[in-house]
Amino acid sequence: MGTVAAPAIFQYRPPKPNYLPHNMEVDQPIVEEYIHPLGKPDDRENAMYFNKMKRAAQEYNIVRPKGYTVSFHANPEMEKHHFGQTHPMKPWRLTLTKSLVTAYGMSFAMDNYIARAATYEELSSFHSQDYLDYLGTAPAEDTPRDIDNPDKEVKFNLGGSDCPLFHGLYDYCSMSAGGSLDAARKICNKQSDIAIAWGGGLHHAKKSEASGFCYINDIVIAILQLLRCYPRVLYIDIDVHHGDGVEEAFFSTDRVMTVSFHKYQPEYFFPGTGGLEDNGPKSEHNPGAHHAINVPLQDGITDEQYEWLFQNIVGKINEHFRPSVIALQCGADSLAGDRLGRFNLQVQGHAACVEFCKKLGIPMVIFGGGGYTPRNVARAWASETAIAIDAKDKIDPTIPLHAPFREHFIHDTLFPTLEQILGEPRANRNTQKRLQEIVQHVHDQLRFVSFAPSVQYSVIPPDLGGIRDDVEDRLKEENEEKDENLRKEREEGVGVPMEM
């Protein structure tokens, strides 16, 4: 699915796969040249930065974690896309995340993959053909259709202010799904124990409809891949918005349990679903009954409350459902100071959820998701990457001086205070009594769930990536032959624990 890449920021352009609909003659889309707000380094600057990365890895003692493998899945081409000047979604938040991850030298502790874009067939494992055909061929529109006429009809919910038809849309969606699918395959192949895909996590997309800035539901596609090899998947969503698309996709199965922690104010806050009583199909004869857990929250929840809730709910689900793999969506719009969110969560509280899941010792895919204040998104995802590689207590909270675009973070720390972020924390509308009622309700629901639902295995359907290993090994050998720097780096032993 992906080719191994040196842990650096050197430019790489993967070959363009034939993933457009096969039954249509379509000219290749022309992507408008978008001037990245963060600029672009030249080869000399890249080489200098690579050396700084190595020194940082040595200074912070960043080495591969003992006893398990972490992989990082990305496609740098995603960062160049642009939803529109006024749209909250900014793909260059991935650039800022990469800035911090590489500045600390974390890349040396992981297997780094440049994931190819998902193919049309891979996307159709969940999405309908007519939706994909339209998504792949609809021309870009510079102005959303509902700007001048709010009642103007849009097809598949594409073309409005929520989900605009921007230049390179299909490429962007395919690359997002490709990274998540690559991560899932590495988990399935036992090549990785924790696989990170920050470019994924787009949890609102439906089978035939875009929704909430999400066009392709990469999480559903990744979970379908995990289900080929694992009997039970636990999907956890800590985005500020309800994970409705994933919940809906697995509504009628007991092989996937979904749990979403989100703001719930149906009259005013998107998507308006995910009430406490919404626990899956109402019929007890449907296998999916009681397998959707929703944790509705109000504005202003704190780190302490969120951690208490998360541990009491996810810990109990783990005991009862006994998942064989976890899919964790880490939407960062639940952080304080987000453009759309209204919580008082700090990076520490958000990251504590990743740390708790990691301690369960279950294979895990970590996705990105929402997050509309890019500097805060980057802080959270870099901190959570450090937790994944067991470097939480090694890195300096002060952002390294050599971190690219350091000035965009405003404050020079990974962990700004609420006062620095908000000035004054938002009013907390979550009473401890209400939180205890939520926990009790979830525990009651789990009583109706069969303990560790069993799965009868017969023939596992073929995976589209079945011949991938031989191809990847060949590509890896070719790349290593060409890349003298990669050979020298491995001889230096950067990122390898040394004997005392």
Side-chain angles (χ1 to χ4, degrees):
M1 182 66 188
T3 52
V4 180
I9 58 172
F10 294 101
Q11 294 293 323
Y12 171 75
R13 292 182 175 273
K16 194 173 184 66
N18 177 25
Y19 53 78
L20 283 174
H22 299 310
N23 60 344
M24 304 181 70
E25 294 182 3
V26 184
D27 292 331
Q28 290 293 332
I30 299 173
V31 180
E32 273 191 357
E33 188 64 26
Y34 169 52
I35 300 175
H36 203 288
L38 304 181
K40 180 181 177 182
D42 58 29
D43 290 344
R44 178 176 168 276
E45 291 172 319
N46 273 332
M48 291 174 61
Y49 182 63
F50 186 72
N51 288 328
K52 291 177 180 177
M53 286 172 53
K54 291 195 292 186
R55 287 197 294 271
Q58 292 163 346
E59 177 185 349
Y60 298 121
N61 190 29
I62 302 295
V63 296
R64 288 179 172 269
K66 189 174 182 180
Y68 66 98
T69 301
V70 180
S71 57
F72 194 87
H73 306 262
N75 190 322
E77 297 298 307
M78 274 190 72
E79 302 165 25
K80 300 178 181 179
H81 290 78
H82 188 44
F83 280 59
Q85 292 293 343
T86 60
H87 199 284
M89 177 64 87
K90 307 293 183 187
W92 56 268
R93 65 200 180 133
L94 298 172
T95 307
L96 289 185
T97 301
K98 181 172 67 178
S99 163
L100 293 181
V101 169
T102 57
Y104 282 105
M106 289 190 240
S107 302
F108 292 102
M110 303 182 283
D111 291 335
N112 298 274
Y113 295 93
I114 295 175
R116 64 163 172 81
T119 65
Y120 181 85
E121 288 79 7
E122 287 165 340
L123 298 180
S124 64
S125 65
F126 173 59
H127 293 284
S128 65
Q129 181 176 342
D130 56 346
Y131 174 66
L132 291 176
D133 289 352
Y134 186 78
L135 186 68
T137 58
E141 298 176 355
D142 293 327
T143 304
R145 300 178 189 179
D146 56 359
I147 292 294
D148 297 324
N149 184 0
D151 298 322
K152 189 168 184 179
E153 184 179 353
V154 292
K155 191 173 182 180
F156 301 113
N157 198 33
L158 291 168
S161 299
D162 179 49
C163 297
L165 289 164
F166 60 86
H167 294 269
L169 170 60
Y170 192 85
D171 286 353
Y172 176 85
C173 296
S174 302
M175 287 186 280
S176 171
S180 298
L181 187 53
D182 191 22
R185 282 184 171 144
K186 293 299 186 292
I187 295 290
C188 287
N189 294 342
K190 314 296 184 186
Q191 291 176 262
S192 181
D193 300 290
I194 299 176
I196 301 171
W198 293 131
L202 306 179
H203 57 170
H204 294 307
K206 311 300 193 297
K207 185 179 183 70
S208 299
E209 181 183 294
S211 176
F213 316 159
C214 304
Y215 303 82
I216 291 293
N217 201 315
D218 61 282
I219 301 172
V220 171
I221 293 171
I223 290 177
L224 288 172
Q225 171 62 33
L226 294 173
L227 289 171
R228 293 175 179 273
C229 304
Y230 293 95
R232 292 178 301 281
V233 178
L234 172 59
Y235 171 68
I236 307 171
D237 191 316
I238 58 174
D239 194 288
V240 78
H241 301 96
H242 176 226
D244 58 336
V246 183
E247 179 183 297
E248 180 181 305
F250 299 108
F251 201 64
S252 295
T253 178
D254 60 358
R255 292 188 61 194
V256 180
M257 178 168 280
T258 63
V259 54
S260 177
F261 298 76
H262 52 268
K263 176 177 174 177
Y264 182 66
Q265 198 172 8
E267 304 86 2
Y268 307 105
F269 197 72
F270 181 87
T273 54
L276 183 62
E277 305 292 333
D278 297 330
N279 299 123
K282 298 305 178 185
S283 171
E284 295 294 333
H285 299 291
N286 191 313
H290 310 289
H291 281 74
I293 303 296
N294 284 297
V295 184
L297 304 169
Q298 300 301 312
D299 290 353
I301 192 167
T302 64
D303 280 3
E304 294 75 21
Q305 289 177 317
Y306 204 90
E307 287 182 48
W308 181 83
L309 260 181
F310 190 89
Q311 293 177 14
N312 276 278
I313 289 175
V314 174
K316 194 69 173 179
I317 290 173
N318 179 58
E319 289 176 13
H320 202 89
F321 184 64
R322 293 297 174 97
S324 40
V325 64
I326 291 174
L328 175 60
Q329 197 264 22
C330 294
D333 46 8
S334 46
L335 291 170
D338 187 78
R339 185 173 172 182
L340 300 184
R342 293 292 183 271
F343 289 170
N344 284 327
L345 278 189
Q346 296 174 259
V347 170
Q348 297 95 315
H350 197 270
C353 300
V354 177
E355 188 168 17
F356 183 81
C357 290
K358 178 175 177 284
K359 287 179 179 177
L360 296 177
I362 301 169
M364 178 165 58
V365 180
I366 301 177
F367 305 91
Y372 308 103
T373 303
R375 59 182 177 273
N376 292 340
V377 176
R379 284 187 172 101
W381 291 352
S383 177
E384 286 154 12
T385 302
I387 287 171
I389 62 173
D390 207 18
K392 173 190 173 185
D393 299 323
K394 296 180 179 180
I395 60 175
D396 191 332
T398 301
I399 295 174
L401 293 174
H402 62 271
F405 324 119
R406 193 174 187 268
E407 67 278 6
H408 286 267
F409 292 96
I410 301 180
H411 304 293
D412 65 356
T413 175
L414 277 181
F415 308 112
T417 64
L418 279 178
E419 289 70 25
Q420 288 175 313
I421 299 169
L422 294 174
E424 184 174 335
R426 298 187 183 281
N428 187 356
R429 304 185 185 283
N430 300 272
T431 66
Q432 193 60 32
K433 179 176 182 294
R434 178 56 177 165
L435 298 184
Q436 289 170 344
E437 289 173 354
I438 291 173
V439 170
Q440 186 59 51
H441 175 85
V442 172
H443 288 189
D444 289 344
Q445 287 298 311
L446 291 173
R447 292 169 48 220
F448 296 98
V449 175
S450 299
F451 183 81
S454 61
V455 176
Q456 180 179 354
Y457 276 104
S458 52
V459 178
I460 299 176
D463 177 13
L464 291 173
I467 61 171
R468 179 186 51 77
D469 288 342
D470 291 340
V471 175
E472 281 196 356
D473 288 342
R474 177 172 55 79
L475 290 173
K476 180 179 175 182
E477 290 177 6
E478 292 175 358
N479 288 337
E480 288 183 357
E481 288 175 3
K482 295 176 183 177
D483 195 346
E484 188 71 10
N485 290 330
L486 181 58
R487 182 186 65 80
K488 290 180 179 178
E489 168 211 319
R490 288 181 174 172
E491 288 178 353
E492 289 175 4
V494 180
V496 179
M498 307 302 288
E499 294 183 5
M500 300 300 291

